[in-house]
């Protein structure tokens, strides 16, 4: 029995150390980026050695992936089954997330830095972010489909564009807010954009600018070149 208690205590201590390392890594990656951050920087914050950090995570690459997963787990910890909801609740969840993010600049900064770095050649975070955005777009499309079915309307052909636009607006607003927090209300600006895009899918369609093919026909050539 005493041995069992010691093992339980050691497991709890190990979990606590891992969380401390993950939190330190999140701060360090957010401040310096993945490429410029060192395991020594992270180890110093948790009173450990470089070797101690490696003991828990194996490599800097593995630590990065654990940090990203740690962040995602925090985002859904209070949700049923720890999964993003469907239908209108998904969009409400996105709005709530924006308001929560306005109180955790460190996490938002780390996400912004790491996601931007992931587009570079050979970056170890690239597969994670590629998969993450695909999953979020698919979840958002399904939420649109659910809402359209509930109100008996047809799903528009450009629903995938709307899903991508919502995610892009949220990420873009986070960058603006990080740079100028006194001018940008992250929660309200995100809610405004999300509501506008959802309304454009569910409500009457109005091309305020007019079809872009008519006022910028030269873009058709650019679009063809990109295919």
């Amino acid at each position: 029995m005493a041995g069992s208690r010691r093992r339980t205590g050691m497991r709890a201590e190990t979990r606590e150390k891992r969380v401390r390392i993950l939190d330190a890594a999140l701060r360090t990656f957010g401040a310096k980026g993945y490429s410029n951050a060192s395991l020594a920087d992270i180890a110093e914050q948790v009173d450990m050695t470089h070797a101690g950090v490696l003991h828990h995570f194996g490599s800097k690459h593995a630590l990065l992936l654990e940090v990203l997963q740690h962040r995602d787990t925090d985002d859904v910890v209070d949700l049923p089954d720890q999964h993003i909801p469907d239908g209108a609740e998904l969009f409400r969840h996105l709005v709530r997330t924006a308001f929560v993010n306005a109180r955790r600049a460190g996490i938002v900064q780390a996400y912004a830095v790491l996601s931007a770095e992931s587009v570079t050649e050979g970056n170890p975070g690239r597969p994670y972010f590629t998969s993450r955005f695909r999953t979020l777009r698919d979840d958002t499309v399904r939420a649109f489909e659910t809402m359209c079915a509930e109100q008996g309307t047809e799903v528009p052909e450009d629903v995938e564009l709307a899903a991508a636009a919502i995610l892009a607006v949220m990420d873009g607003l986070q960058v603006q807010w990080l740079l100028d927090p006194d001018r940008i209300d992250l929660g309200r600006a995100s809610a405004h954009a999300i509501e506008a895009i959802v309304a454009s899918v569910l409500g009457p369609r109005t091309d305020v600018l007019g079809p872009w093919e008519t006022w910028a026909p030269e873009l058709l050539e650019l679009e063809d070149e990109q295919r």
Side-chain angles (χ1 to χ4, degrees):
M1 182 67 75
S4 176
R5 284 197 297 269
R6 281 196 296 271
R7 286 193 296 273
T8 300
M10 290 175 64
R11 285 196 295 270
E13 183 180 350
T14 298
R15 285 195 296 270
E16 181 184 352
K17 284 183 179 178
R18 286 175 62 86
V19 170
R20 287 172 55 216
I21 294 170
L22 289 171
D23 289 340
L26 187 68
R27 291 191 298 270
T28 305
F29 289 149
K32 298 184 176 184
Y34 174 79
S35 299
N36 293 326
S38 72
L39 292 182
D41 294 330
I42 297 165
E44 183 178 358
Q45 295 180 54
V46 292
D47 296 322
M48 295 179 65
T49 64
H50 178 282
V53 173
L54 287 177
H55 169 73
H56 287 283
F57 292 96
S59 68
K60 183 181 174 184
H61 180 176
L63 177 58
L64 171 65
L65 299 182
E66 288 272 5
V67 164
L68 295 171
Q69 187 58 51
H70 181 55
R71 177 196 178 278
D72 281 352
T73 300
D74 281 350
D75 276 354
V76 298
V77 68
D78 295 326
L79 296 177
D81 300 323
Q82 285 74 57
H83 191 273
I84 292 178
D86 191 17
E89 281 303 314
L90 178 140
F91 300 107
R92 292 177 184 134
H93 167 70
L94 294 180
V95 171
R96 291 190 189 100
T97 298
F99 276 93
V100 170
N101 281 346
R103 300 197 298 272
R104 50 181 191 178
I107 290 177
V108 174
Q109 178 176 316
Y111 173 83
V113 170
L114 294 173
S115 62
E117 279 191 331
S118 73
V119 305
T120 59
E121 189 71 29
N123 185 277
R126 186 177 188 124
Y128 165 85
F129 280 104
T130 299
S131 175
R132 183 176 192 275
F133 280 121
R134 283 176 179 167
T135 298
L136 288 173
R137 287 195 301 270
D138 289 345
D139 287 343
T140 305
V141 167
R142 278 193 293 272
F144 275 129
E145 291 171 344
T146 296
M147 293 182 73
C148 287
E150 289 172 349
Q151 70 176 31
T153 59
E154 191 171 330
V155 180
E157 293 182 359
D158 58 359
V159 66
E160 292 192 9
L161 298 179
I166 283 181
L167 302 180
V169 167
M170 292 187 71
D171 284 359
L173 283 171
Q174 287 182 166
V175 173
Q176 291 188 56
W177 171 72
L178 287 168
L179 294 171
D180 199 356
D182 293 332
R183 290 286 303 274
I184 303 297
D185 187 323
L186 181 61
R188 289 182 177 273
S190 299
H192 179 82
I194 291 169
E195 289 176 357
I197 295 173
V198 171
S200 76
V201 171
L202 299 178
R205 309 303 296 275
T206 301
D207 289 329
V208 178
L209 302 179
W212 62 265
E213 296 92 340
T214 63
W215 52 264
E218 69 277 8
L219 296 182
L220 287 170
E221 295 183 13
L222 293 178
E223 192 176 48
D224 288 339
E225 291 175 4
Q226 293 170 356
R227 288 175 179 165

